[in-house]
Amino acid sequence: MANETTPNTDPSSETDLNKAKTSRQTRLSPIWVVPIVAIAIGLWLVYDNYTSRGTLVTLTMDSAEGIEAGSTLIRSRNVEIGRVQTVRLSDDLSHAVMTARIQPGVEDMLREDSRFWVVKPRIGREGISGLGTVLSGAYIQLEPGSADEARREFPVSETPPIAPTGLAGLRLSLTSQLGNSLRVGDPVSYQGYTVGRVEENRFDPASRTMQHQVFIEQPYTELVTDSTRFWTTSGIDFRLDADGVRVNVESLEALLGGGVTFGVPEDLPMGQPVEANTRFTLYADEDAAREGTFNRYLEYVLLVDETVRGLTRGAPVEFRGVRLGTVAAVPWNFTAPQPDSRARFAIPILIRIEPQRLGIENNDIDLDEWEARFTRMFGLGLRASLKSGSLITGAMFVDLNFQRDLADQYVPEQFSDRNVFPTVAGGFAQIQAQVTDLLDKLNALEVEPLLTGLDRNLQASESVLNEVREVSVSINQLLNDPETQAVGGNLNATLDELRGTLQGLSPSSPAYQELTTAIERLDRLMRDLQPLTRTLNENPRALLFDNLDTQDPIPRAPRE
């Protein structure tokens, strides 16, 4: 038992032993430094790789022609800022979807109004563009936006935008019934000078109209007001109508591709400026645009009994050469029932009386007053007729004039809820009626007696001609008789004797001098007898009485 070890029961020694064990357990081994550093470097590389990859955007387009995943670049101002990573079809297989990475530092370009389009070789009216992509391939161009909101999904256009983002100007909406008359990029001109472009064309199936968006550059936006009218230009406008032949040639650019032009009609004030995206109507031509300004009118129906060939929609309605309206439809509501007062079928024509053509403002036009005025003029003989406006084209127009002989024959009529404008036959119809009357009179003539009398006259004329022929033969025989031919010689001899006799009465002959002396004596005798003749004319009693002053004159005694 003496050799057994006695346990140490000192508490201080046990505390020191526990501290030594704890210090050995909390001391970090130097070998752990390497993994920690490796982890930190890996985390930094992951962060750096994530931040250096840039922003992921989604691009959509109808067709991914020329786009290749991993090689197609995205550029802005010809500087590479990204690359297309994947190209696939959409879930509904209707378009292509692309994902692209935009480099860090240019995320601010991705705004709500940013635009993307494909740059590739293209030939247009402005020339050839995109030739640099023939060898390098197509790329996608980014135009930065200026909106406050960010965006990560964008459509990609096949054509570049007409107006750059941020360019000062005015965008307008045009509505037309024209099909493919306009294309993106067509010019918008004012008096032949290009001031903008067509940016977008879209067909609206609901309204069956074409919707166009145009961009007007500054400072030409001041030319657009609420009185402005837009119409299409086709380069050359050649027209034959009631006004004759008209040829209008636009600019060379419009001649090649058409375009849009605008202006304020002369009959309207300049108007006030308009806001962006204001909607206008796009008319087919300048005349249609001018006609569109006359929006206050009266509608009447002409019931025409004659032909309407040559009368078309848009033909003028004139009063003694002054245009008052327009033909709206030829024919109009053709199947509607005719008025009971009509003895035969008439062709209905819808016309519009437009007081604005007389320079009257809209605010001053009272349509009820104008209708009452026309009703009064109908009672005074105002009538409408069709007349030819051009002998070359055969186009016709509606002429209004007073027919005084029809002043008391107006009877109001209605046709399909429209007042009927009274009519008279036109010039050609009157000529046709006169020709018809003449033919009727000719048909009513008794031709048999006329032909019989004409035959008798011809027979009498033939007998007279025979007598004249016989007389001519007799005259020829008389002239050929030798005795008749000798008359000429005898007549010549007689004339010679008469010439000799007249030569004896020449001024130098004695007979002529004696005759002259006798005439002078006779003249003196006549002058001497003039006093006696004057006295006897004044008082014939002078031959019987010596003194005519007494109351009882004594006749003159005869001389012994």
Side-chain angles (χ1 to χ4, degrees):
M1 294 299 297
N3 293 331
E4 290 181 2
T5 304
T6 303
N8 188 7
T9 58
D10 188 0
S12 61
S13 61
E14 292 181 359
T15 303
D16 294 338
L17 181 59
N18 292 332
K19 289 181 179 179
K21 292 180 178 180
T22 303
S23 62
R24 286 195 302 266
Q25 292 177 355
T26 58
R27 186 180 299 121
L28 187 63
S29 175
I31 197 172
W32 289 103
V33 175
V34 176
I36 293 174
V37 172
I39 292 173
I41 293 174
L43 293 175
W44 181 84
L45 291 175
V46 171
Y47 175 78
D48 181 68
N49 182 55
Y50 177 79
T51 57
S52 62
R53 293 179 63 184
T55 304
L56 185 66
V57 295
T58 301
L59 305 178
T60 60
M61 59 187 307
D62 294 335
S63 174
E65 180 183 1
I67 306 300
E68 297 181 2
S71 60
T72 300
L73 303 179
I74 299 177
R75 296 180 180 180
S76 179
R77 302 184 185 275
N78 208 26
V79 177
E80 180 182 349
I81 61 171
R83 186 182 299 267
V84 176
Q85 290 187 339
T86 62
V87 179
R88 64 180 180 86
L89 289 175
S90 61
D91 296 336
D92 57 358
L93 307 179
S94 62
H95 57 275
V97 179
M98 300 172 290
T99 57
R101 288 285 182 181
I102 304 298
Q103 296 178 0
V106 295
E107 294 89 349
D108 293 340
M109 293 183 175
L110 304 175
R111 297 298 175 181
E112 184 67 28
D113 55 349
S114 297
R115 291 185 290 184
F116 290 82
W117 68 91
V118 178
V119 179
K120 55 185 177 181
R122 185 176 288 105
I123 300 177
R125 60 174 57 91
E126 293 85 3
I128 301 175
S129 61
L131 289 179
T133 61
V134 174
L135 299 178
S136 62
Y139 64 90
I140 298 177
Q141 183 77 16
L142 167 63
E143 183 179 80
S146 59
D148 295 334
E149 298 181 1
R151 186 178 178 182
R152 294 297 181 265
E153 294 184 3
F154 301 90
V156 180
S157 175
E158 292 287 344
T159 57
I162 301 303
T165 302
L167 181 64
L170 181 65
R171 285 182 170 83
L172 303 173
S173 297
L174 304 181
T175 302
S176 72
Q177 300 291 338
L178 308 176
N180 56 353
S181 61
L182 292 179
R183 294 180 297 176
V184 174
D186 284 345
V188 178
S189 61
Y190 178 82
Q191 296 184 355
Y193 184 77
T194 301
V195 298
R197 295 283 176 178
V198 177
E199 287 189 326
E200 182 183 352
N201 294 323
R202 181 176 56 86
F203 179 73
D204 186 6
S207 61
R208 298 182 181 180
T209 58
M210 286 294 298
Q211 305 295 328
H212 310 280
Q213 180 174 300
V214 298
F215 179 78
I216 309 296
E217 302 177 2
Q218 284 280 17
Y220 311 112
T221 55
E222 298 178 358
L223 301 174
V224 183
T225 64
D226 53 4
S227 299
T228 300
R229 299 293 182 268
F230 289 82
W231 64 90
T232 60
T233 55
S234 57
I236 298 180
D237 182 14
F238 181 80
R239 187 174 306 174
L240 293 173
D241 53 16
D243 296 328
V245 181
R246 290 181 293 174
V247 179
N248 184 23
V249 180
E250 294 289 339
S251 63
L252 179 60
E253 187 175 12
L255 177 63
L256 297 177
V260 178
T261 186
F262 64 93
V264 178
E266 298 178 356
D267 301 325
L268 295 181
M270 289 303 297
Q272 300 296 325
V274 298
E275 300 293 335
N277 298 321
T278 302
R279 187 173 300 276
F280 290 89
T281 299
L282 180 63
Y283 295 94
D285 50 37
E286 184 176 1
D287 291 340
R290 187 179 295 109
E291 296 298 327
T293 62
F294 307 117
N295 53 6
R296 302 289 303 281
Y297 51 81
L298 294 173
E299 288 186 341
Y300 289 96
V301 175
L302 304 181
L303 296 178
V304 181
D305 296 331
E306 55 188 292
T307 178
V308 295
R309 184 179 181 85
L311 185 67
T312 59
R313 178 181 179 182
V317 178
E318 299 181 355
F319 174 75
R320 298 178 181 176
V322 178
R323 183 164 183 175
L324 291 181
T326 305
V327 176
V330 181
W332 179 76
N333 206 356
F334 194 75
T335 58
Q338 299 276 326
D340 297 335
S341 58
R342 294 282 167 170
R344 57 180 180 174
F345 187 81
I347 299 177
I349 300 173
L350 183 65
I351 66 172
R352 293 175 177 175
I353 303 298
E354 300 158 338
Q356 292 170 297
R357 291 186 179 275
L358 302 177
I360 304 175
E361 297 292 340
N362 291 345
N363 298 332
D364 299 333
I365 295 178
D366 188 351
L367 295 180
D368 294 335
E369 180 182 354
W370 276 89
E371 185 175 3
R373 184 180 304 175
F374 270 91
T375 302
R376 291 194 302 269
M377 289 190 290
F378 294 157
L380 297 177
L382 182 64
R383 297 294 184 269
S385 61
L386 302 184
K387 290 188 176 180
S388 176
S390 175
L391 296 177
I392 299 176
T393 62
M396 303 184 72
F397 68 98
V398 177
D399 181 65
L400 308 181
N401 210 335
F402 285 95
Q403 306 291 333
R404 299 300 180 183
D405 54 341
L406 303 177
D408 299 332
Q409 301 181 12
Y410 171 64
V411 177
E413 292 180 314
Q414 289 279 330
F415 180 86
S416 188
D417 298 332
R418 298 289 193 282
N419 292 329
V420 175
F421 202 110
T423 60
V424 294
F428 286 107
Q430 293 177 357
I431 294 175
Q432 184 178 3
Q434 294 175 359
V435 171
T436 303
D437 294 340
L438 178 60
L439 293 177
D440 293 339
K441 291 179 181 179
L442 291 177
N443 292 330
L445 291 177
E446 296 181 358
V447 182
E448 284 292 331
L450 294 177
L451 295 178
T452 303
L454 181 61
D455 184 55
R456 289 197 301 267
N457 292 335
L458 291 176
Q459 293 177 359
S461 300
E462 185 176 1
S463 61
V464 171
L465 290 176
N466 293 330
E467 294 178 358
V468 171
R469 189 180 298 109
E470 293 175 358
V471 171
S472 299
V473 172
S474 301
I475 292 174
N476 289 331
Q477 293 176 356
L478 179 63
L479 293 176
N480 293 329
D481 190 0
E483 296 180 358
T484 304
Q485 294 179 356
V487 173
N490 297 333
L491 182 61
N492 290 334
T494 304
L495 291 176
D496 292 338
E497 293 177 359
L498 181 59
R499 186 182 298 107
T501 302
L502 293 176
Q503 287 179 356
L505 296 177
S506 62
S508 59
S509 63
Y512 181 80
Q513 293 179 358
E514 292 178 0
L515 181 61
T516 303
T517 302
I519 291 174
E520 292 177 352
R521 291 175 181 175
L522 181 60
D523 183 57
R524 287 195 298 270
L525 178 61
M526 294 299 294
R527 285 197 299 269
D528 293 339
L529 291 177
Q530 284 181 359
L532 176 61
T533 304
R534 187 181 302 110
T535 302
L536 292 176
N537 288 333
E538 294 175 356
N539 194 349
R541 295 182 301 172
L543 293 175
L544 300 177
F545 302 100
D546 293 333
N547 189 1
L548 300 177
D549 297 333
T550 60
Q551 294 181 356
D552 188 10
I554 299 174
R556 181 182 300 168
R559 295 181 181 180
E560 295 178 358

